[in-house]
Amino acid sequence: MKPLVRNAALNNYVEVSQSLGIDARALMKRVGLDPVGLAVQDRWIPGAAVTQLLELSAAASRRGDFGLLLAERRSFSNLGPISLVLRDEPDVRSALELLVRHEHMYNEMLRSRLSGANGLATLKVSLELGEAMAARQATELAVGVFHGVLRSFLGARWQPLSVCFTHDAPADPGTHRRLFGPVVEFDREFNGIVFYASDLKAPNPMSDPLLRTYARQYFESIAVSKDTTVLDRVRELIEVLLPTGRCSIEQVADSLGIDRRTIHRHLAASGETFSAVLNATRTQLAEQLVANPRRSFTEISGLLGFSAPSAFSRWFRERFGCSPREWRVRGTRQRPSGEE
């Protein structure tokens, strides 16, 4: 199946796009992503769509450093729950190994490997997209994020021995040299970072030994297996695709890199059908959206993938036994006094 990534992979995408004068919303729509959905960081979206979006954005802005401009704005929190544990790991090695071991929790297309020999440490980074496509910007974003993580532990003045990319040098390498220093190299045999192995022994200045146990216990309680079920993936993709108006089993199958019969088979094994999962997901979202008085019913209709508000109203009445407006009024009346 094609890999998914967390929405957080596009943190600050809109801001960077606006600063470069390109239409973030139009480009996201072009690859089938919902701009509104970016507000939910832990929602999973197709990695291939994110990769394509970054390439289109670099072309539209004529900035070959687009991925690095995003990397510059990254922080620990963008990694999700694992960031809570990283902050309290005792040293750099422990933090990096944790990040590599649980990479599937924040990016399913990321493949990173830490190795050491002859006093040197090498962090190799690659992407498995499930299909052939350009991935220069996504690769530079991934390497840039790892570089930023290392600097968080080793200090802003820390510099690796080399930052390597397999692709050729950009026309203007200014951002690359500003971010990585003079050690950035292109046309190398791997993407990644080479540094002294002794850096791995450096203590983490942010670490609190008393908090580490609690952080580890919390993380272990929410850590997810790499074996995410097809049902889980289908639910995630339905949420992503509904606002685009292209939420069909064919589109979900294409996003996962499998055929519709395979989806039907896996869902049947879980006692589900695609239409049942679609309706259940749509119902859950409808309850949340209609309860928000700031959302117009026309807007909600679009977010739930209906072609017209009238179609949404008919579906809602069949599902809830009343109109969206009546349901909202009832909810307002039942809400405790003073509650927003």
Side-chain angles (χ1 to χ4, degrees), residues 57-72:
S57 302
S61 61
R62 298 183 179 179
R63 293 293 298 260
D65 56 358
F66 192 89
L68 289 186
L69 295 179
L70 287 179
E72 278 191 293

Side-chain angles (χ1 to χ4, degrees), residues 10 12 21 26 44 65-66 117 133 161 180 189 215 228 254 279:
L10 290 176
N12 298 119
W44 291 82
D65 56 358
F66 192 89
M133 63 189 311
L161 295 172
F180 302 125
E189 64 276 13
T228 306
D254 183 64
N279 258 323

Side-chain angles (χ1 to χ4, degrees), residues 56 69 83 93 97 155 168 173 175 198 234 253 302 327:
L56 289 174
L69 295 179
S83 64
R93 179 186 293 278
E97 289 179 345
D168 58 0
T175 301
S198 57
V234 168
W327 196 91

Side-chain angles (χ1 to χ4, degrees), residues 29 33 44 50-51 82 94 107 132 153 166 204 315 337 340:
K29 290 287 188 181
L33 294 178
W44 291 82
V50 171
T51 303
I82 197 172
S94 179
N107 189 329
F153 292 122
T166 58
N204 174 11
W315 172 86
S337 177
E340 288 292 329

Side-chain angles (χ1 to χ4, degrees), residues 28-35 237-248 251 302-306:
M28 290 188 70
K29 290 287 188 181
R30 184 172 168 184
V31 299
L33 294 178
D34 172 32
L237 285 169
I238 285 174
E239 285 196 32
V240 171
L241 293 171
L242 273 174
T244 70
R246 294 187 291 176
C247 187
S248 64
Q251 188 66 39
L303 290 173
L304 294 178
F306 290 97

Side-chain angles (χ1 to χ4, degrees), residues 267-287:
L267 293 182
S270 302
E272 295 281 4
T273 65
F274 181 77
S275 59
V277 177
L278 173 61
N279 258 323
T281 305
R282 189 175 252 160
T283 298
Q284 181 183 9
L285 292 173
E287 290 179 330

